Amino acid sequence: MEGLVFVQTNKPLGNTIRVYQRGDGGELSLAGEFETGGLGGSTLNPPVDPLASQSSLVYRDGLLFAVNAGSNTVTLFRVDGSELERLQVIWSGGLLPVSLDVRDDLVYVLNAGGEGVVQGYRLDDYELEPIRGAQRSLGLDNPNPPPFGDAPAQVGIDPEGEVVLVSTKSHNIIDAFRIERGGRLSEEPVSNPAEGMPFGFTFDHRGGLMVTLAATNAVIRYRLDEENGKLTAVGPAVPNGQMASCWIQRVGDYYYVANAGSSTLSSYRIDEDGQVVLVAAVAAKGDGGTIDMTTSGGFLYVQNGAAGTVQGFDVLDDGSLKLVNTTTGLPQATNNGGILNGMEGIAATP
């Protein structure tokens, strides 16, 4: 199960996952395509990213988790070589699931439609079981589907497994729910102000939280107090001068941001004082509409929603990127009355 890259097609009439084998030089070859048993979906009027989210497809320890935004379900696969065995399709706990995260035996799913709902599950013997007391509203009062800028973007669990975080984009808040006994969530979140439209996030090697700000095209670093869920900024946000900085992926000591509006990748690092530093405003150019990313074997793989491609980059020691592969033939973003048909979601084995 090493050297695999998974791409979610998000097809509206039947969501599928394409499995690619990664070669030693980073090149990808198609190994198969597998139905999730659910439907792809879309927020309202997104430009190139139908789910307007990060982490809609997640790989953990031989299992693959996928959201089916159009049918309000989540699919659990077992990865067997380059084959996917579908184990379960379960209700997502709300409307328009767009993101999920997994840590140990806990899984949390973010539903972006309507009020916005986080639903928790326990993974037991290759089966997801909803946890009582782990379904929590974000109180967003959005329609379904919501406009892409108003839809919450990502759910994530901190490295210690104490807090579930949710970025809310135009609501300019990062909500933090305490994880209580048995995986239940605190009834009310701590709402952390985060001006600039917080979108994607990832934890860094020091335990800090790196967050993209899509409206100001910047990255900001926070320190999380796991006892109370409060976030404290570690220095100012650092802009990159690009457009629609939404997704972030760590590879080693570097952090790469996909800028959908300018179809570029920016690179960042953290200095000795814990401050965010811009390494390159344009570390690489995408094919068209750079969106979600993943890493495998020291390579960075980037979805291009407008082009219908995945680019693979070798990450060099100084953080620069060298294009090694372009995979074509994936669904391109096409607008159908405000609903976007197109791929979103990418994950990989180490």
Side-chain angles (χ1 to χ4, degrees), residues 34 92 140 147 197 208:
F34 303 87
S92 65
L140 298 180
M197 193 178 283

Side-chain angles (χ1 to χ4, degrees), residues 133 135-138 177-178 180 184-190:
Q135 186 184 63
R136 294 291 182 254
S137 170
L138 301 176
F177 292 91
R178 285 277 305 164
E180 299 177 345
R184 296 188 297 272
L185 296 177
S186 56
E187 291 192 14
E188 297 293 333
V190 172

Side-chain angles (χ1 to χ4, degrees), residues 76-131:
L76 171 63
F77 291 101
R78 176 164 36 202
V79 182
D80 182 10
S82 59
E83 301 283 315
L84 297 183
E85 178 189 0
R86 193 170 71 208
L87 301 177
Q88 185 183 19
V89 181
I90 189 170
W91 180 50
S92 65
L95 302 172
L96 201 77
V98 296
S99 176
L100 55 87
D101 199 11
V102 184
R103 188 164 300 279
D104 299 325
D105 62 346
L106 295 178
V107 179
Y108 294 93
V109 177
L110 171 62
N111 295 275
E115 62 188 316
V117 171
V118 176
Q119 173 68 59
Y121 300 85
R122 182 168 299 283
L123 181 62
D124 184 24
D125 195 24
Y126 298 105
E127 187 173 276
L128 293 171
E129 299 178 358
I131 300 171

